[in-house]
Amino acid sequence: YMETYGREVLDHFAGVGNYTGFQNGWRYSWWTARVGRTMDPSVAEGGPLVLHPAQTIFNGFFGSDDRKRVSAEAYGEYRRNEIAQSQAFAGAYVSVRPSTNVTVALGPDWSDRQFNAILVHTMDDAAAAATYGRRYVFGEVRRRSIAMSTRVDVTFTPDLTLQAYVQPFAAVADYDPLAFKELARPGTREFIRYGRAIRRSDEPIVTSAGSTLCTPRTGSYCYAYDPDGPGGADPVFAFRTPDQTVRSLRGSAVLRWEYRPGATFYAVW
């Protein structure tokens, strides 16, 4: 349990779990917890607190004897909140020792997560008195990712080792175009939903006075909050689509050399 000096609850949960290890080196664990409604101090990025819905969590792990030349592990977690949104991730890896001084470990990681409120835009507005003169616009997003990690550890001598790591990674974030909303009151999960008052455009959003509210990136688009639609009053505001697709190849290598007792040289890439 954790709360602020102002009595806002930041964390409270109850759970139960188990870890079992067998004499043959195999092991497993599981735990489950119920997390109550809490205040999220970071989702508004320095703005007001937002109520986070209660959720239930299930987590599990299973592993073989890691003293063997070949061993493996698998793990996963599933979360579901009170508004029927879920988050799940799972992963596994296999570790192989082809020789006494070399270990190679590789395995995939996958995740599929839904978020009820991710900040996408803010703007000053004296009329937004309930949120301290500023609008906080949130979106509902589904984020999916997959990665394959490979790690190699080589011990040349007790004083000279090499660790190398590489991970191809891909992720996509899809926002619901009808689920953008504005925080109505701090410390709650009450939102003003824009619905179809949000329109999407692959061209710049320009006011009648010629001011540009948003210019889309190449191949992308802007969202405009425009309650009376094109041809009416100017859009209230606009922002670039928060949808993202990321592909990357991460890698690192560390050479460690203890060239004399207490003195170590590192080369890092």
Side-chain angles (χ1 to χ4, degrees):
Y1 180 86
M2 181 169 59
E3 65 177 31
T4 67
Y5 288 112
R7 308 289 293 182
E8 294 99 350
V9 177
L10 301 180
D11 194 17
H12 67 120
F13 66 92
V16 62
N18 169 265
Y19 174 87
T20 300
F22 300 98
Q23 291 184 349
N24 63 5
W26 289 61
R27 64 240 188 257
Y28 74 88
S29 69
W30 64 268
W31 60 267
T32 182
R34 178 65 177 177
V35 182
R37 294 178 178 176
T38 57
M39 294 296 177
D40 191 330
S42 60
V43 68
E45 300 181 7
L49 295 172
V50 179
L51 186 66
H52 194 278
Q55 61 180 325
T56 302
I57 307 172
F58 301 94
N59 183 285
F61 162 84
F62 181 81
S64 67
D65 185 357
D66 58 10
R67 298 169 297 182
K68 300 292 186 180
R69 187 172 181 177
V70 179
S71 62
E73 292 185 357
Y75 49 87
E77 184 173 289
Y78 178 78
R79 300 179 178 221
R80 188 172 180 84
N81 64 23
E82 62 182 309
I83 55 175
Q85 290 181 321
S86 62
Q87 298 185 10
F89 74 82
Y93 80 85
V94 175
S95 179
V96 180
R97 285 197 291 269
S99 63
T100 56
N101 68 320
V102 178
T103 301
V104 180
L106 71 161
D109 286 284
W110 163 89
S111 70
D112 188 344
R113 306 172 190 265
Q114 294 174 294
F115 294 89
N116 175 58
I118 297 294
L119 189 70
V120 297
H121 184 70
T122 62
M123 65 172 292
D124 293 329
D125 187 344
T131 50
Y132 315 118
R134 193 168 182 83
R135 291 178 183 256
Y136 294 86
V137 181
F138 296 87
E140 297 182 10
V141 62
R142 181 181 182 186
R143 293 177 176 173
R144 290 164 287 175
S145 69
I146 189 167
M148 174 64 77
S149 302
T150 302
R151 186 184 303 275
V152 179
D153 296 316
V154 182
T155 302
F156 300 104
T157 70
D159 301 326
L160 182 64
T161 62
L162 174 67
Q163 294 179 317
Y165 175 80
V166 63
Q167 182 196 67
F169 173 83
V172 61
D174 292 320
Y175 282 78
D176 185 343
L178 296 179
F180 292 109
K181 53 197 178 183
E182 176 183 330
L183 184 65
R185 190 160 57 91
T188 70
R189 208 173 67 248
E190 297 175 11
F191 295 96
I192 301 169
R193 294 186 173 272
Y194 297 148
R196 297 190 181 279
I198 285 280
R199 63 179 174 89
R200 190 172 76 176
S201 174
D202 57 5
E203 297 181 352
I205 305 296
V206 181
T207 68
S208 57
S211 300
T212 301
L213 298 179
C214 176
T215 301
R217 300 181 182 91
T218 302
S220 186
Y221 42 85
C222 289
Y223 283 111
Y225 178 43
D226 195 3
D228 54 4
D234 287 341
V236 179
F237 60 83
F239 55 92
R240 286 176 172 173
T241 174
D243 293 348
Q244 287 186 323
T245 298
V246 176
R247 299 181 184 90
S248 68
L249 179 63
R250 307 171 183 175
S252 65
V254 179
L255 180 70
R256 175 187 175 276
W257 175 34
E258 189 175 355
Y259 57 91
R260 66 184 183 191
T264 304
F265 171 81
Y266 290 93
V268 180
W269 174 81

